[in-house]
Amino acid sequence: MLAASLCSPALAGETFYPAPEGKGDAPVLVVYSSLDEPLARPMIKGFQAANPDVAVRYDEMLTGEVYDRVVKETDAGQKTADFAFSSAMDLQVKLSNDGYAQRSDLPMSERWPQWANWRNTAYALTFEPAVFVYHKPSFRNEKPPASRAEFLDYLNRHGNDIYGRIGTYDIERSGVGFLFMARDQEQFGDIWTVIRAMGAAGVKLYSTSSAILERVADGRFVLGYNILGSYAADWVARHPDVGIVLPKDYTVVMSRIGLVPQAAASPELGRRYLSFFMSKEGQTIMARELQIAAVSPDVAGCNTATGMQALLGAQLKPVPVSPGLMVYLDQVKRARLIARWNEVLRTQ
């Protein structure tokens, strides 16, 4: 309640955090972000504790809206956000590659993992695996699948018994779902056999993680495939019947990317926020309070890239921040993958 009283809502999707020092003419950091504002609040509060002279305007929007607003405002000769943060890795890299992001040379730049830094313009700031989720009471008599081969075997043995009780993302409507499926196609040669088996088991498709996790938690679903681990971990903490498996054959890891737009109204504030996000303090806040795994090599613990990599090693396959991501924006290739997805599911 106290946190809510310290920030005031403005337009829909926009929240204003006054400068803690109380000056009405304080400089305002403008953030465009796809992260839910309640989740982002601890990071904003941490930043303002270190920068009490700065107010923050937080604009929550969909990933496509983050991209579109930065491009449209820049092309119109207007100022745009000082910091853009989005889970649409492909769109964020496209902003950087097309000249809509400016270089940010920061204290942590040289130490940041190479896969997570594209030319000091686009930085991966989170480490979020794609996991299997399962309803624990439904697996009292056997272990849940721990690989795609085991997932396929389970579906082949129990498909009729659990018909309509499997969930995954609709890759036509979910950007992260499409990314995970595209990586599956690159990593696992027999992925279409898995998709066909899910279709035969009456898989249900959703655009959000919460829709799937809700149904796993109450037992309507027994399994969820390729679910974003950060959201799954939050549900596990609150719902004892939900379990998580990081698939042992390979675990795709996506990241939310932060950058300072080329046309930022106050780029120095954007860099200050990005620098805090990358600092040990900021990454610790993210791991402990936002419950999203940290990327920084300076932060230890199980909810960090360092901790996960020490435990799982080559099993983890982070998606590199590079122009290679833009292949997923190729409309012909995208349409081809979606068409095959729909065809394989429909054949059942």
Side-chain angles (χ1 to χ4, degrees):
M1 292 175 64
L2 175 61
S5 70
L6 292 174
C7 59
S8 56
L11 301 175
E14 180 181 305
T15 307
F16 187 76
Y17 292 78
E21 284 186 353
K23 294 181 180 179
D25 61 348
V28 179
L29 164 70
V30 178
V31 178
Y32 291 173
S33 174
S34 64
L35 182 65
D36 295 351
E37 183 271 331
L39 280 176
R41 191 172 297 168
M43 187 68 72
I44 296 169
K45 291 300 180 183
F47 170 76
Q48 287 191 309
N51 299 270
D53 59 327
V54 179
V56 177
R57 195 189 92 197
Y58 190 87
D59 291 6
E60 180 189 329
M61 56 189 78
L62 300 174
T63 57
E65 293 174 326
V66 173
Y67 174 84
D68 288 341
R69 281 191 61 177
V70 170
V71 170
K72 289 178 181 177
E73 289 167 353
T74 303
D75 289 351
Q78 302 170 356
K79 294 300 182 182
T80 189
D82 305 313
F83 182 74
F85 185 56
S86 172
S87 57
M89 298 184 72
D90 46 7
L91 293 176
Q92 290 290 88
V93 168
K94 183 169 173 59
L95 285 177
S96 175
N97 191 71
D98 292 353
Y100 290 96
Q102 55 183 277
R103 188 178 177 94
S104 295
D105 298 314
L106 304 169
M108 282 297 295
S109 294
E110 291 187 5
R111 288 177 41 72
W112 212 245
Q114 188 174 359
W115 65 266
N117 177 4
W118 173 246
R119 295 183 175 177
N120 286 13
T121 60
Y123 293 90
L125 301 175
T126 68
F127 195 79
E128 304 178 58
V131 303
F132 301 164
V133 295
Y134 65 98
H135 181 241
K136 287 182 178 179
S138 297
F139 287 90
R140 288 195 180 99
N141 299 321
E142 66 177 304
K143 291 182 178 179
S147 69
R148 284 156 188 83
E150 291 181 10
F151 195 92
L152 177 61
D153 176 66
Y154 178 84
L155 293 179
N156 287 337
R157 288 186 293 110
H158 298 289
N160 291 334
D161 301 331
I162 60 166
Y163 189 86
R165 300 179 66 198
I166 305 290
T168 192
Y169 295 119
D170 180 345
I171 70 169
E172 289 191 78
R173 295 188 295 155
S174 167
V176 71
F178 181 87
L179 174 65
F180 288 156
M181 182 59 214
R183 298 300 285 188
D184 271 348
Q185 187 174 232
E186 296 167 5
Q187 295 283 343
F188 190 62
D190 207 23
I191 189 59
W192 292 108
T193 304
V194 177
I195 303 305
R196 186 172 292 106
M198 284 201 288
V203 65
K204 305 295 186 183
L205 307 179
Y206 297 89
S207 60
T208 65
S209 307
S210 59
I212 300 166
L213 288 160
E214 175 188 334
R215 287 162 173 80
V216 172
D218 65 19
R220 280 177 286 171
F221 285 0
V222 295
L223 284 167
Y225 179 79
N226 262 4
I227 310 305
L228 194 57
S230 51
Y231 288 110
D234 178 62
W235 276 76
V236 166
R238 296 182 288 111
H239 301 275
D241 284 345
V242 178
I244 290 178
V245 173
L246 276 71
K248 63 186 180 183
D249 46 355
Y250 66 90
T251 300
V252 175
V253 181
M254 63 80 66
S255 302
R256 300 169 201 261
I257 294 177
L259 55 83
V260 177
Q262 185 63 45
S266 302
E268 70 285 352
L269 289 182
R271 271 189 281 276
R272 207 190 300 183
Y273 189 65
L274 176 57
S275 183
F276 179 79
F277 222 126
M278 296 170 67
S279 69
K280 185 175 182 179
E281 181 182 359
Q283 289 277 294
T284 299
I285 288 173
M286 188 170 66
R288 294 182 181 175
E289 298 189 48
L290 278 66
Q291 292 298 310
I292 300 176
V295 175
S296 172
D298 292 346
V299 181
C302 60
N303 199 29
T304 67
T306 301
M308 289 187 194
Q309 288 169 330
L311 183 65
L312 302 172
Q315 173 182 329
L316 299 172
K317 303 293 184 183
V319 179
V321 182
S322 76
L325 277 163
M326 291 192 296
V327 71
Y328 305 134
L329 296 174
D330 183 305
Q331 293 305 305
V332 173
K333 292 180 179 178
R334 180 181 180 85
R336 189 178 297 140
L337 177 59
I338 290 173
R340 187 173 184 187
W341 164 269
N342 288 327
E343 179 185 0
V344 170
L345 289 180
R346 273 200 303 267
T347 57
Q348 303 304 324

